[in-house]
């Protein structure tokens, strides 16, 4: 019974959900300890940091919202371009990896479950909308959604476009929160940074509500 439930995609999804939670504290400590070093980085060095963070995000080792706060703190609104690039590279990396690992076979395996197959079919019919609302959500794990997109067989164009459009509001909000923070420690250690900026909680709640309603409509075929 257990072996039938613990499929490879399920195990990978669980790891991708837990890993960012486990690594966040360690990364927070490293960022706080190395604040002077990060503050002195050149533009070229930030490019290197972006590449490393893109790979780490793809592997579920760094939450993109956390990175948006950090990048926003050090770079202000200039952080938007590297963050958008970071997200797109991470999405592309996961999509390519799944196809390299024979994603069609994995999808066929998942479709053996009628309910999962039905969900994948509905995602396929409205994949751009599904991807947009999934990426709009401030709570859905970044790496897990990328894995779902790849396994669903969604076209790469829709994955990148929907991912970009969905990430814009929450990334911009996190960058703004980071740019307004007076101290890095307060930003990263006090309830996730954005929770201390008053009305931003309302925006996060609104994004969550819109994403939930949108995903529900897609999955219900409405």
């Amino acid at each position: 019974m257990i072996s039938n439930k613990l499929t490879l995609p399920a195990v990978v999804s669980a790891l991708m959900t837990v890993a960012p939670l486990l690594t966040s504290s360690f990364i927070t400590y490293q960022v706080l300890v190395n604040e002077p070093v990060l503050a002195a980085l050149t533009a070229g060095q930030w490019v290197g940091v972006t590449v490393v963070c893109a790979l780490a995000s793809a592997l579920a080792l760094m939450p993109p919202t956390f990175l948006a706060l950090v990048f926003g703190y050090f770079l202000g609104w200039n952080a938007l371009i590297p963050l958008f690039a970071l997200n797109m590279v991470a999405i592309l990396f996961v999509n390519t990896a799944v196809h390299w690992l024979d994603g069609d076979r994995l999808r066929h395996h998942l479709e053996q479950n009628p309910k999962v197959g039905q969900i994948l079919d509905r995602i396929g019919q409205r994949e751009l909308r599904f991807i947009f609302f999934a990426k709009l959500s401030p709570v859905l794990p970044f790496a897990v959604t990328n894995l779902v997109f790849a396994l669903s067989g969604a076209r790469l164009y829709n994955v990148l476009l929907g991912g970009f459009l969905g990430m814009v509001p929450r990334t911009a909000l996190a960058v703004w929160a980071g740019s307004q923070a007076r101290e890095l420690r307060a930003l990263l250690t006090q309830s996730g940074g954005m929770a201390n900026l008053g009305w931003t909680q309302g925006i996060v709640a609104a994004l969550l509500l819109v994403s939930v309603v949108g995903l529900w409509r897609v999955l219900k075929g409405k």
Side-chain angles (χ1 to χ4, degrees):
M1 294 294 292
I2 295 177
S3 60
N4 291 333
K5 294 180 180 180
L6 293 180
T7 62
L8 177 60
V11 172
V12 172
S13 296
L15 291 175
M16 285 183 165
T17 301
V18 175
L21 300 178
L22 297 178
T23 58
S24 291
S25 296
F26 174 76
I27 297 171
T28 297
Y29 172 77
Q30 292 298 324
V31 170
L32 292 174
V33 170
N34 295 289
E35 180 178 354
V37 176
L38 293 174
L41 291 180
T42 64
Q45 290 172 324
W46 275 107
V47 171
V49 170
T50 300
V51 173
V52 172
C53 290
L55 296 177
S57 296
L59 297 173
L61 297 177
M62 289 187 181
T65 300
F66 170 86
L67 293 176
L69 290 170
V70 174
F71 276 52
Y73 178 83
F74 288 106
L75 302 178
W77 289 112
N78 291 328
L80 285 177
I81 292 179
L83 285 170
F84 290 157
L86 183 156
N87 279 264
M88 295 298 98
V89 169
I91 291 174
L92 182 61
F93 178 87
V94 174
N95 192 275
T96 302
V98 168
H99 286 289
W100 182 73
L101 293 172
D102 198 357
D104 291 338
R105 182 174 62 83
L106 292 173
R107 177 185 169 90
H108 178 73
H109 177 72
L110 291 174
E111 288 176 338
Q112 300 305 306
N113 183 314
K115 292 184 178 180
V116 174
Q118 186 178 31
I119 292 175
L120 291 177
D121 287 340
R122 287 177 178 171
I123 293 175
Q125 294 169 7
R126 301 172 178 83
E127 59 186 31
L128 182 59
R129 289 172 57 188
F130 176 82
I131 293 166
F132 169 76
F133 287 119
K135 283 302 180 185
L136 186 67
S137 172
V139 297
L140 289 179
F142 175 79
V144 173
T145 56
N146 292 339
L147 179 62
V148 171
F149 301 156
L151 291 176
S152 70
R155 289 186 300 167
L156 181 58
Y157 174 81
N158 285 336
V159 174
L160 293 175
L161 178 60
F164 175 78
L165 295 176
M167 65 170 278
V168 167
R170 60 184 179 80
T171 301
L173 180 62
V175 168
W176 181 86
S179 68
Q180 296 300 305
R182 295 181 179 179
E183 295 182 3
L184 183 61
R185 182 173 297 276
L187 175 69
L188 299 182
T189 61
Q190 297 180 14
S191 303
M194 289 189 291
N196 297 305
L197 294 176
W199 57 270
T200 59
Q201 298 177 64
I203 296 179
V204 171
L207 292 177
L208 178 60
L209 178 61
V210 172
S211 66
V212 169
V213 172
L215 290 172
W216 179 82
R217 291 178 63 86
V218 170
L219 296 178
K220 287 296 183 179
K222 296 184 178 182

